[in-house]
Amino acid sequence: MLEEVERWLADRSWSAADRPLDQLLDLKRAAGTTVSVVLPALDEEATVGAIIEVVRRELIEGLPVPLVDELVVIDSGSADRTAEVAAKAGARVVHRDEILPRIPALPGKGEVLWRSLLATTGDVVCFVDADLRDFSASFVSGIVGPLLTDPGVQFVKAMYDRPLGDAPGQGGRVTELVARPLLNLHWPQLAGFVQPLGGEYAVRRSLLERLPFPVGYGVELGLLVDALHTVGLDALAQVDVGVRLHRHQDGQALGRMAAAIYRTAQVRLSRGHLVRPELTQFERGPEGFVPHTYAVDTEERPPMLGVKEYGRRHVA
């Protein structure tokens, strides 16, 4: 590990308990900083409501000043009751296609995160996956904390244990098999991140609006790498929030995720000729193995500062 990364681990890795909530509220009130929490959601009716209820109960209601000013669910086309459950629990629900209708929406998580910048106004934007179980408010307060206490910090990722069933520490298979090797080999300054692909991170809007967003599963790696190049390692941080429990995907879905992440890394490494952006996987059928070929996410959205609708909102 680089000496720079060892120093960063000592100076920029914290626990959620290091910053008590009352301290954060005092600092937030003094600075006037606003915080938006965004939950990208697709068919998450089983979990999204409980997450919203925890955020509202512990970080909004009954506090001298709310830690969270805006709680928004961006529904990317759920076929279940996600939108209904989220609204009943107290979130503002916005459909992905209602945001920036001039540009037809593409499928993918990164697309939803990118569009969320137009649906929110907070100085700090905190992304939280909507499939988390046994959710703790520290997933939000922990990663927002450094942005309220240290003006030099601009991007904070959550770190946590990720069990796979009853096996501790065995979640995050794409992280260990794809993302961590890529980062260690090509961006060794980012080798200290425990969960580089985690979906829980808080970022200053002033940074997010300057970054391109891969539309699919590569969004977490892309934002992290681009943030490093834009603001430097010392502006990045991570906070331990405990244990993350969520729905795990099957091996083939993980393969497609891995391909998108590799593609995102490849774009940043070369910006030149790219391999054919498809992935073929196999399933056994009645007469043997059957190939299924999937497109790999290749689109990226430009920095939001270049979108005219976003610029008009700032002028207004």
Side-chain angles (χ1 to χ4, degrees), residues 21 24-25 28 35 59 63 65-69 140-141 144 148:
L21 182 58
L24 299 183
L25 296 180
K28 181 177 185 293
V35 176
L59 301 179
L63 299 175
V65 56
L67 183 70
V68 173
D69 301 279
V140 173
S141 60
V144 168
L148 298 177

Side-chain angles (χ1 to χ4, degrees), residues 1 5 11 50 54 62 72 86-87 105 120 127 134 138 143 161 182 188 195 204 211 215-216 220 226 255 276 280 286:
M1 183 179 291
V5 176
D11 296 339
V54 169
V72 182
T120 58
F127 298 120
D134 297 336
S138 64
I143 58 178
D161 296 315
L182 282 172
Q195 298 291 351
R204 297 191 192 278
L211 301 179
V215 301
E220 270 81 33
D226 291 343
R276 183 168 58 105
T280 299

Side-chain angles (χ1 to χ4, degrees), residues 19 41 72 93 96 111 132 137 164 188 208 213 228 257 266 307:
R19 294 174 175 82
V72 182
V93 179
R96 174 200 62 197
E111 178 82 359
L132 302 187
L164 180 61
L208 278 177
F213 279 61
L228 172 69
M257 183 185 301
Q266 186 185 39
V307 176

Side-chain angles (χ1 to χ4, degrees), residues 8 12-16 19 124-128 138-150 152-160 193 195-196 198-204 207-208 220 223-224 227 231 233-241:
W8 178 85
R12 287 289 187 261
S13 293
W14 297 293
S15 167
R19 294 174 175 82
V124 170
V125 182
C126 177
F127 298 120
V128 176
S138 64
F139 271 75
V140 173
S141 60
I143 58 178
V144 168
L147 298 168
L148 298 177
T149 60
D150 190 334
V153 175
Q154 298 202 41
F155 189 119
V156 184
K157 296 216 67 151
M159 56 177 168
Y160 33 67
F193 276 94
Q195 298 291 351
E200 290 69 46
Y201 46 105
V203 193
R204 297 191 192 278
L207 173 58
L208 278 177
E220 270 81 33
L223 289 177
L224 190 59
V231 295
L233 182 60
D234 282 344
L236 314 181
Q238 60 185 350
V239 173
D240 188 349
V241 297

Side-chain angles (χ1 to χ4, degrees), residues 4 32 34 42 55 67 81 120 135 142 180 191 214-216 223 226 238-239 254 259 280 283 305-306 315:
E4 178 184 9
T34 55
L42 176 63
V55 174
L67 183 70
R81 297 173 56 250
T120 58
F135 178 77
R180 200 176 306 286
V215 301
L223 289 177
D226 291 343
Q238 60 185 350
V239 173
L254 294 178
T280 299
E283 295 180 3
L305 276 180
V315 171

Side-chain angles (χ1 to χ4, degrees), residues 41 45 48-49 52 73 81-93:
E45 67 174 5
V48 69
I52 293 165
V73 170
R81 297 173 56 250
T82 291
E84 177 185 345
V85 169
K88 185 176 180 180
R92 176 163 63 91
V93 179

